[in-house]
């Protein structure tokens, strides 16, 4: 293990001096209008203009063929508009070095968690705006209950392809978020054949050396019928040894030329919130949205999300 990581660092230094880097990225700006209503109280309204989900980023990347079937790839993500990888997972873009070959692939750096990737794959609004109860419950492993989308100090191994369409992955996070001393272990399996895709992500996490082990499981499945793309999610989270929080989600996308309509509904028996606390109040949420491709590089979208419970 140690020798492999040293080898990646050496390649990164060498290619940084000799190779041509590529610059990619995206810019997102928009208006967020939030209205929160609590029983017996007046609504609290908030209007902001910002990048709401970490899509404003500049990527500096490099890919090198090392020969003998070995391929090196590296990326530095420079985010703006949101807290980035140095905080408790608010960033969504990866900074990493990776090496692939006949042995499979290894990847180190600030990496997206398999839980986040599973929810993004099975959420109808995942490409633009994830507002899903499974996302809230099953990525809730931060130092103060923050949602862990991306973990620093991560190591990931992907096995070689044993079955066409099947990918197996293990990821280790040495302290899932800043301030944590607990470790995170993620296991993921993804399968795709034709119009069908499905996967599962399972995570264990200790908030501290003395705490109980948190667990999270997310299943997703999608099917592209052409006129309609169906997406489904099921998740289970166990926090601090408390009762399981089970969540289901189903949605669909309807592509119509340059426009795509999206709808997603989720419900859960309870919820995870605050400093890894568990609420017994049932939750429900609905997302309605539409995106429109103004060009190959520019997309406009609007979404409405309402959560109760």
């Amino acid at each position: 293990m140690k020798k492999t990581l040293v080898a990646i660092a050496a390649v990164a230094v060498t290619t940084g001096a000799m190779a041509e880097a590529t610059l990619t990225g995206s810019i997102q700006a928009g208006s967020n209008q939030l209205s929160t209503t609590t029983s017996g109280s007046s609504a609290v309204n908030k209007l902001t203009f910002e990048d709401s989900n970490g899509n404003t980023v500049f990527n500096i990347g490099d890919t090198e063929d090392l020969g003998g079937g070995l391929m090196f790839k590296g990326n530095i993500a420079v985010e703006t508009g949101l807290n980035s990888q140095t905080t408790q997972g608010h960033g969504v873009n990866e900074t990493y070095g990776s090496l692939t070959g006949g042995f499979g692939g290894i990847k180190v750096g600030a990496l997206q968690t398999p839980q986040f990737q599973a929810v993004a794959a099975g959420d109808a609004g995942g490409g633009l705006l994830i507002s899903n109860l499974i996302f809230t419950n099953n990525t809730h492993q931060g130092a103060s209950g923050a949602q862990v989308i991306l973990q620093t100090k991560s190591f990931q191994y992907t096995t070689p392809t044993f079955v066409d369409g099947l990918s197996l992955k293990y990821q280790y996070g040495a302290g899932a978020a800043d301030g944590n001393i607990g470790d995170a272990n993620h296991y993921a399996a993804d399968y795709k054949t034709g119009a069908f895709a499905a996967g599962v992500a399972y995570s264990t996490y200790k908030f501290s050396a003395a705490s109980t082990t948190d667990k999270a499981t997310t299943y997703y499945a999608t099917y592209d019928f052409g006129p309609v793309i169906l997406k489904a999610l099921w998740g289970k989270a166990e926090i601090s040894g408390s009762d399981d929080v089970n969540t289901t989600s189903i949605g669909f996308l309807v592509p119509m030329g340059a426009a795509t309509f999206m709808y997603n509904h989720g419900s859960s028996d309870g919820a995870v919130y605050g400093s890894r606390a568990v609420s017994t109040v049932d939750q429900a949420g609905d997302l309605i949205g539409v995106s429109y491709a103004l060009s190959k590089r520019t997309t406009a979208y609007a979404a409405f999300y309402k959560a109760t419970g």
Side-chain angles (χ1 to χ4, degrees):
M1 178 77 71
K2 186 178 295 183
K3 291 183 179 179
T4 302
L5 295 178
V6 170
I8 292 177
V11 171
V13 171
T14 301
T15 56
M18 299 176 63
E20 292 185 2
T22 58
L23 178 63
T24 61
S26 61
I27 298 174
Q28 173 171 290
S31 167
N32 293 323
Q33 301 181 57
L34 176 66
S35 178
T36 303
T37 304
T38 304
S39 179
S41 303
S42 300
V44 177
N45 297 300
K46 181 180 179 181
L47 174 65
T48 59
F49 295 90
E50 61 179 358
D51 169 12
S52 61
N53 55 335
N55 280 339
T56 297
V57 60
F58 296 95
N59 293 295
I60 303 171
D62 176 47
T63 301
E64 290 294 313
D65 186 346
L66 303 178
L70 294 177
M71 184 71 70
F72 169 81
K73 186 174 182 179
N75 186 74
I76 299 173
V78 182
E79 295 186 340
T80 63
L82 280 181
N83 296 327
S84 61
Q85 296 105 321
T86 58
T87 66
Q88 294 146 342
H90 294 294
V92 299
N93 298 282
E94 295 183 319
T95 294
Y96 64 87
S98 70
L99 189 67
T100 58
F103 60 89
I106 55 176
K107 192 175 185 180
V108 294
L111 309 179
Q112 293 177 349
T113 66
Q115 291 294 335
F116 168 68
Q117 291 177 336
V119 174
D123 180 8
L128 294 172
L129 178 66
I130 293 181
S131 296
N132 194 293
L133 295 172
I134 296 180
F135 169 76
T136 302
N137 295 330
N138 284 25
T139 63
H140 215 105
Q141 302 168 342
S144 59
Q147 294 166 338
V148 176
I149 302 170
L150 181 142
Q151 290 182 348
T152 61
K153 300 168 289 185
S154 289
F155 168 85
Q156 183 184 102
Y157 172 69
T158 303
T159 66
T161 301
F162 300 112
V163 177
D164 287 344
L166 178 64
S167 174
L168 302 177
K169 184 186 301 177
Y170 167 73
Q171 183 171 322
Y172 169 75
D178 289 354
N180 281 355
I181 61 174
D183 297 331
N185 292 277
H186 303 280
Y187 308 85
D190 299 278
Y191 180 73
K192 180 173 177 57
T193 176
F196 174 75
V200 57
Y202 173 72
S203 302
T204 62
Y205 174 76
K206 286 183 70 67
F207 177 70
S208 67
S211 71
T212 57
T213 299
D214 295 346
K215 302 174 183 177
T217 307
T218 300
Y219 298 90
Y220 74 88
T222 70
Y223 195 91
D224 187 349
F225 287 95
V228 178
I229 302 171
L230 294 182
K231 291 180 176 275
L233 284 164
W234 178 78
K236 180 171 71 174
E238 182 180 333
I239 308 297
S240 301
S242 301
D243 294 336
D244 295 342
V245 175
N246 293 287
T247 311
T248 57
S249 172
I250 188 167
F252 59 85
L253 298 168
V254 181
M256 298 182 65
T260 299
F261 297 89
M262 63 192 79
Y263 171 76
N264 203 87
H265 172 77
S267 61
S268 66
D269 56 347
V272 184
Y273 71 100
S275 298
R276 299 167 53 250
V278 177
S279 168
T280 59
V281 178
D282 292 343
Q283 313 285 313
D286 291 277
L287 171 73
I288 300 173
V290 60
S291 66
Y292 190 87
L294 299 173
S295 69
K296 291 182 179 180
R297 296 182 178 88
T298 306
T299 299
Y301 74 90
F304 173 81
Y305 179 70
K306 182 178 182 180
T308 60

